[in-house]
Each structure stands twice: as C-alpha cells, then as structure tokens.
Amino acid sequence: MKKVLSILLSVMLVAIMVAGCASSKPSSTPAAPETIKIGVFEPLTGANAAGGELEVEGMKLANKLYPEVLGKKVELVVVDNKSDKAEAASAAARLIEKDKVSAIIGSWGSGYSIAAGNIVKEKKVPAVGASCTNPLVTQGNDYYFRVCFIDPFQGTVMARYAFNKLGAKKAAIIQEVSNDYAVGLASFFKAEFVKLTGDPNSVVETSNYQTGDNDFSAQLTNVKSKNPDVIFAPGNFTESALIIKQAKKLGIKTPFIGGDTWETDEFLKVGGAEVEGAVFSTFFDPSVTMTPESTKFLDEYKKAYPGKEPAAVTALGYDAYILILDAMKRANSSDPVKIREALAATKDFPGAAGPITLDVNGDAVKDAVIKTVKGGKFTYMDTVKAK
Amino acid sequence: MKKQDKILTIILIAGLFVFILSADLFFDSYIKRVLNLCAIYTILALSMNLINGFTGLFSLGHAGFMAIGAYVVGIFTVPVEMRSMVFYLKPMHPLIANIELPFFAALILGGLLAALVAFLIGAPVLRLRDDYLAIATLGFSEIIRIIITNAQSITNGSLGIKNIPPTANIWWIFGTAFVTIVFIILLISSSYGRAFKAIREDEIAAEAMGINLFNHKVLSFIIGAFFAGIGGGLYGALLGTVDPKNFLFVLTYNFLLIIVLGGMGSVSGTIISAFIVTAGQEWLRFLDEPLSIGSFDIPLFRPGFRMVVFSILLMLIVLFYRNGLMGTKELNWDMLKRIGSKFSFKRPKGGEAK
C-alpha cells in the first residue's frame, strides 16, 4: 500500500516538475520586443485574498479593453503575495528581475505596498497602488503612486460631513486600533472636527478595539455615557457591523459614520436591518458616472460579470492599469524611468472612479463619494470635491 | 573529528564563502532576496529548534520574540531626520526620538531585549508542560504584539515603521546565520546541550541525575529568544519596514513547519528544510501561472495552486518520514561518504553539512 502510494506521489511530483518546465518556457521566451509587461502583485491567497481578487478583476477587465499600447501587446503578469510582507517584497523583486516588467500595480493592503516600496525605488520601476491608503506608501518614494485618495482626506471628509450635514457638536470615535487604516482615519477625523467646532474637547471619547473582537459592550457603554451627537467608527466591515448592531441593542440612537471598508456585502449581511442609515465615504458609485470612462467601465463590467455590482476597488484596479497605459503613451516609451516621469506629471486624467491628478507625493487628489445604507442597499448621497 | 573530515569541513566553509561572494556579485536582487530569506529563516528555525527540538519545550512564542528584535532595529536605526515623517500621527516619545544606533548595536540590543522578555515570561510559564506551555507562550506572543500595536509613540502603532536603512545585505545575513549555527552546535555538544537533551527525553530521570530542570529550561528559552530577536531584526532590516500585522501568531507556524520537516532535534535538518521550504515556495510559483496545452487553459493553474501542491508535499513528508527529514540525526561526513559509496558511480555531493 505504502509503496503504491509513494510511487503514485513520485509520479505526481515528476508531472508537476514537467508542467513547471512546460509553463515557464513560453513565458520566458515570448517575442520580447512585441510585448510590454505590467506586473501585478496582489494578495490572492491568505487573509486578504478577497480584496486582491477584486482589484485584479478590474485590471483584467482594463487589459481586455485596452490590450495594446505603442503598437505592442500588453501582458499582465499576476503574482500572489500570500497576504505576507516578506512574500510581497519577493514578489515585487521577481516581477522586476525575472519578468522584466515596465511597471507594477499593487497591492491591496498598505503594508504589502510599503514592503515592496524599497525595491521599486532601488530598481527604478514605477509602481501604482490601487487602494493602499496609508500615507507612508508613497511618502519619500518617488517611484510609488496611487489612484486613490489617502486616509487623511477621508477622515477630513467625514468630519466635515458630521459637522455640516449632521450638525454634530460632539463626536465619539470607536477605532480598530490594530488597523493602520482605521487609526489614520480616526486621527484626521479628530483633527478636522476639533478645528471645525473650535472646541478642543469636542471629541468626547476615543475607544479602541482589536481586529477579531466580537463583544463591544464596554466601548459602547463608555460612548453612551458621554452622549455624543455622532459616532465615527472606522474599521473592518464585520466588526463595524457588529458594533452598530450591539449599539442599537443598547439603545444608542446616535448616527454611525465610517469609511470605505464598510462597502461590502458582509457589512449588510452581518448588520441586517440595524445598519440602516449608516453613512460612509468611498471612492466610487456605479450610479454616478464621474467621467466618460466610468460608463465604459460599467458597461464592460456588466458584460463580463452579469448580475454583479462593481466594487470601488475594482474600479481603482482598472484605473491603475489605464493610468499606466496613458503614461506610456505620453512618454512614448516603455522605459520604466520615462514612465515614472510621465506618471508624476499626471493631471486631470479621466479614470473610471473620477478624474485623477497626482500631487507631489504621488497621491491622487480626487473627489470622495458619500453613501448610506437604505433599504438593505448602498445608496449614493453626495460627492465631496477635493479642493 | 578525523583529520580528513576537518579538511573537508574547511573546504566546505571556503566553498560557501566563495558561493556567497559570487552570489553577491552576480545574482540578481530577486535570487539574493530569496537566499537572504532562507538564511534568516534558518536562524529563526534553529533558535526555535533549540527550545522545541532539543529541550523538548513546546513553545509557540517565536513571533513575539521576533517582533521585539525587529522593532528595536526599526526604532533605533531609522535616521533621526526621517522620524517625524514616519511618525506623522503622533510624534516619537522624546526619550528615544534622538537616539540612533548603528545596525549591529541595534541588532544585539534587540536580541538582548527579546532574551530579557523571555526570562520574564519564562520564569512563571516554564513550570507548565506540553500543551499548556504552548498555549501560554502563544498567548504571550500575542500580548507582545498587542502592546506594540498600542504603544503609538514608541512603535508608531499599527501604522508600522518604514525607512529602515537596508544595511542587512547578504554578508550580514549569512554571517549571522553562520555564527548562529556554530553557536548552537557548540552549545548542543557542551554539557548544557546534553542536559537539554536529557530533559527532553525524561524530565524525572534528568532531575534524578542532578540536572536543575528549571535553570536549564529557562536558559534554553532565553538563548532561543535571543536568536529569535536577532533573526527578527534581520527580517525587519531586509524588508525595510515592520508593522504589528507581520507578527501574527501564524508566523510562528512557519518555523514550526520548518523544524518538524527538518527533524526536531537536528541542526542540519533544520538548515536543509529552512532552505527547502523558503526557496521551494518561490520555486513553485510557476504553478500560479496560467498553463495551456494548445489553446486549452488548464483551470487548476491559477494563483493559490502552488500552496495546494506545497501542502500536499508536506503531508507526504510527514506521512513517510515521521520524524522529519533528518530525525534527531545530523548530517556529517561519514553519512555523506556512506551515501556516496552507495551511488559510487556518482560523485558525492556536500550539502549544508557540518
């Protein structure tokens, strides 16, 4: 029995090895000058696989729509970073050294992008992040860009919304302290809210929780006793939905506002009727076409994935790809350094998720969309202009 | 050690030196990065094997000790003028804001701090045995991570630290790995090492022989944690960035995997399997690429498939080599010669032997 098994398995191993040789050959010896390669590193397995998958969806769609640039075919080289930082750095190095890509897109999760940052800087290959919002990604790195706005902007937008639209004078924050995104949003929300109200004590309570927690009664009781006008709770969708649910049970009627991570089906599923009326900022809404490119993206998306609404990060993945293509056209070259220069000069580029202008740090300056949950669905409320 | 073996060992070391030199000069940054990662994982797995394999303490706290080492390197080697940029939400605590240490000092400090924490944790916890010890150490490693997450003015919290200078090149990393290997081998073959093994085999018998159980357990735990801190520091410097999510308890399982695969209680086994596991995962990447025969795309070949295959390979090894590749044996020249004479038509090849 054991012998049979071991023979079987050895055969399998050999088969895999043969398959390896077979598959690596055509990819390493394509007629090199005819294709331009764009590398993609995303978490396709591990904890963040869902997010990575959505972004790649957008890039593949864009690749199908615009398969050529400068008269050459564009090839997407997708590698998995396993939701692991060390792996993300290796993946980026592999794209540059082995696949000789002209530019890189990625990654969902700012930590992975930061880990790859050193390599793209050293090897002078430009990278465009789709949805990594931590300011540290592009800071001090001339070769990293992104098509999304950053945490400070989103926190500021929500503070203005709370002050201007809700008329809030006192706010409470419940933040997912182990999440860089939530901490960033919360701190810029606080700064802006204090500035708007002119009262240094206008943020009456800041409570923390860890990723994966599922009982929030302590934080909520604290918040309830301070009686705020609004509760800002940036964090992961599951935990946030639970917070809102438990708040309603405790009899808290204060409105909840948050960030773009809430825009997932799980948020609605976990929260049910209780998340009705929750308000958050995000990048994109299918019902508002911000540019002609939005219409094009939405039409193609409906064709490719019938019956599905595109996620904001899918639109951003799409934008990252077309932005790189546009930079190649403007540079009239597939040389990484020239692409970088063209990218840095991007101004009012019509992306599917709104026009993109890149500032000196390489961050996109663009409008934010405010949405709410109405009738068990995400509904568009408002667009906030970037100054 | 026979004279011939000594010469062979010297040749091997010289060969490795030449290999690293040529790697540094001729290999591209991708291969160098994978090699560096292999060597760092060797250090971490060896230090864990000292605790788990040689002393028989089932500890799962390695990610925590690594985090301490990585963070000390991160905090003290980032150039002072870049710090306000990294700590943009909350400025660094004034006590440490202007202290900048050279890489080597920070690395050693990280190791020492990890060892200190291991002592504080170990003193109460090492009275536990088996699964209880595993759970307690796992818990402590999570506590370390959560403290790091919340100490915003020292560690920058969940935002992480970036701009760690890329000092850790292939020489640093392989040099440290070499020192670690030599130290562990010397330790294992000293009287302390024999006491560790005696504790692993039978605590009561060891105690009856006059071995102070508690002292030896704590010693092994502290030394293991020291090298885990060093390994963590190199890991942080290689990546150029650290954040608390790096050091989730799942990271510990990487090293557990390596030592179980290589053999609990075998230095050479650990080294071999650290290289196989780390490089193997990279090598299997071709499985993630789409493969088509003619115009037919085989649906299996897509991102994630390599991990499936990797898991199957692991199960096989565990099924057929119950004690890992090496068990508690060590790869030495006699063994290589025996293997060599079996396949006398082939030239014997030296691996990562000692």
Side-chain angles (χ1 to χ4, degrees), chain B residues 18-89:
Chain B
V18 172
F19 172 75
I20 297 169
L21 184 70
S22 54
D24 193 25
L25 292 175
F26 304 119
F27 287 4
D28 64 36
S29 68
Y30 169 55
I31 296 175
K32 267 198 259 183
R33 181 165 282 274
V34 174
L35 282 175
N36 282 337
L37 215 54
C38 288
I40 291 174
Y41 279 15
T42 303
I43 299 172
L44 290 160
L46 261 185
S47 63
M48 188 160 175
N49 208 349
L50 178 70
I51 303 172
N52 288 33
F54 287 105
T55 323
L57 303 167
F58 190 18
S59 154
L60 294 177
H62 239 58
F65 300 135
M66 246 182 104
I68 295 175
Y71 263 96
V72 169
V73 168
I75 290 165
F76 291 113
T77 61
V78 173
V80 170
E81 65 272 15
M82 282 186 180
R83 287 189 190 172
S84 60
M85 202 172 90
V86 175
F87 287 74
Y88 69 94
L89 272 189

Side-chain angles (χ1 to χ4, degrees), chain B residues 145-172:
Chain B
R145 188 176 64 82
I146 287 175
I147 290 176
I148 290 175
T149 307
N150 286 285
Q152 179 106 36
S153 61
I154 300 170
T155 61
N156 209 17
S158 52
L159 297 168
I161 295 175
K162 78 164 208 171
N163 285 334
I164 301 173
T167 330
N169 56 18
I170 198 162
W171 290 106
W172 267 106

Side-chain angles (χ1 to χ4, degrees), chain A residues 167-250:
Chain A
K169 295 280 173 296
K170 283 191 294 175
I173 295 172
I174 304 180
Q175 59 175 350
E176 184 185 5
V177 71
S178 46
N179 187 344
D180 54 342
Y181 155 85
V183 175
L185 247 66
S187 116
F188 286 98
F189 174 89
K190 190 173 172 180
E192 181 71 14
F193 196 73
V194 166
K195 207 171 92 192
L196 288 172
T197 54
D199 172 11
N201 300 319
S202 57
V203 174
V204 288
E205 170 72 26
T206 304
S207 285
N208 295 337
Y209 67 91
Q210 303 282 341
T211 316
D213 282 0
N214 44 38
D215 176 41
F216 305 96
S217 36
Q219 289 93 332
L220 287 168
T221 321
N222 251 342
V223 166
K224 197 183 173 189
S225 67
K226 301 277 167 63
N227 208 11
D229 302 324
V230 64
I231 301 173
F232 185 53
N236 196 21
F237 45 84
T238 320
E239 285 86 340
S240 302
L242 284 173
I243 289 175
I244 299 175
K245 233 178 151 169
Q246 292 175 14
K248 295 277 143 77
K249 274 203 191 113
L250 281 171

Side-chain angles (χ1 to χ4, degrees), chain B residues 128-255:
Chain B
L128 300 170
R129 276 194 202 174
D130 305 338
D131 330 5
Y132 303 104
L133 178 64
I135 291 167
T137 45
L138 187 76
F140 270 110
S141 111
E142 282 291 281
I143 290 173
I144 293 173
R145 188 176 64 82
I146 287 175
I147 290 176
I148 290 175
T149 307
N150 286 285
Q152 179 106 36
S153 61
I154 300 170
T155 61
N156 209 17
S158 52
L159 297 168
I161 295 175
K162 78 164 208 171
N163 285 334
I164 301 173
T167 330
N169 56 18
I170 198 162
W171 290 106
W172 267 106
I173 291 170
F174 273 81
T176 318
F178 184 73
V179 171
T180 312
I181 294 168
V182 170
F183 181 87
I184 300 263
I185 288 171
L186 290 177
L187 181 74
I188 293 303
S189 41
S190 72
S191 67
Y192 286 105
R194 284 195 288 277
F196 291 161
K197 285 184 198 163
I199 293 171
R200 174 186 69 192
E201 297 304 331
D202 191 329
E203 287 196 5
I204 298 169
E207 201 167 21
M209 296 307 288
I211 293 172
N212 185 330
L213 283 188
F214 186 66
N215 284 359
H216 280 88
K217 279 184 180 177
V218 172
L219 186 70
S220 155
F221 199 59
I222 288 176
I223 296 173
F226 175 78
F227 283 109
I230 299 273
L234 290 172
Y235 180 84
L238 177 71
L239 290 182
T241 156
V242 286
D243 77 57
K245 276 193 210 138
N246 266 7
F247 304 103
L248 287 170
F249 64 90
V250 198
L251 189 65
T252 308
Y253 295 124
N254 280 350
F255 313 123

